[in-house]
Amino acid sequence: MRIGQGFDAHKIKEGEEVVLGGVHIPSNFSIVAHSDGDVITHAVIDAILGAFSLGDLGTHFPSEDESYKDVSSRSLLREVLEKIGDQKISNLDITYIGEEPKISTYVDQIKKNLSEDLNINVDQVSCKATTTDRLGYQGRKEGVSALAIILFE
């Protein structure tokens, strides 16, 4: 078995939507990033890369590379999956950390997107959210982050 843990954080700015787990969510801010800034999918990618000692997101998709400008993080996830070949995923656990947006109405779609990309059943994906009770950069609404843990059999 292999376990990978991933973390991603991004600054936010005024805007109209964020992308989380491949879902476009209306918001009063957007995420500052070279790609679409999908912190959930970025954390999943880092967890996968970590499970196989393959470095991190920035190693494979550097922000200096203009070919990744505004790219969908789901496409980056699919590229990483090609690198690891046919590996069996047992489960994926994700935590989104931010005061906004509230994602409870989007969790099912986030889980569906990730289960499709990972070629696993939706019940093998857990996605939840928490705030920091207004502590730290997330609490001050300066940024958002996500954690992911994945288990391969």
Side-chain angles (χ1 to χ4, degrees):
M1 297 192 338
R2 290 179 173 260
I3 297 173
Q5 174 266 323
F7 174 81
D8 194 51
H10 283 277
K11 292 180 184 178
I12 58 176
K13 64 179 181 180
E14 286 188 34
E16 297 180 1
E17 76 171 11
V18 296
V19 179
L20 296 171
V23 179
H24 293 260
I25 300 173
S27 176
N28 62 355
F29 66 86
S30 62
I31 295 175
V32 177
H34 186 69
S35 67
D36 63 7
D38 183 342
V39 293
I40 287 177
T41 304
H42 290 182
V44 172
I45 292 169
D46 265 350
I48 293 167
L49 291 170
F52 293 94
S53 301
L54 295 173
D56 61 19
L57 183 71
T59 301
H60 293 269
F61 310 106
S63 57
E64 299 81 28
D65 187 334
E66 286 302 310
S67 67
Y68 299 118
K69 179 77 174 135
D70 300 323
V71 70
S72 165
S73 295
R74 290 180 75 191
S75 69
L76 302 179
L77 174 58
R78 289 187 288 270
E79 278 190 50
V80 166
L81 291 171
E82 288 177 20
K83 293 176 189 291
I84 65 166
D86 189 25
Q87 300 290 332
K88 185 175 182 191
I89 297 170
S90 178
N91 72 300
L92 168 65
D93 185 24
I94 304 157
T95 303
Y96 169 75
I97 307 161
E99 299 293 321
E100 294 177 26
K102 302 299 183 199
I103 67 167
S104 59
T105 58
Y106 303 99
V107 165
D108 288 342
Q109 186 61 51
I110 291 169
K111 290 172 57 174
K112 181 178 182 291
N113 287 352
L114 292 170
S115 68
E116 287 173 0
D117 292 342
L118 297 169
N119 197 29
I120 58 176
N121 294 325
V122 72
D123 65 353
Q124 291 174 272
V125 179
S126 169
C127 180
K128 55 206 176 298
T130 190
T131 68
T132 60
D133 290 329
R134 296 186 291 271
L135 296 173
Y137 66 88
Q138 297 104 328
R140 292 187 302 269
K141 298 182 183 178
E142 296 171 0
V144 294
S145 58
L147 297 164
I149 298 174
I150 194 164
L151 176 65
F152 289 89
E153 294 179 38

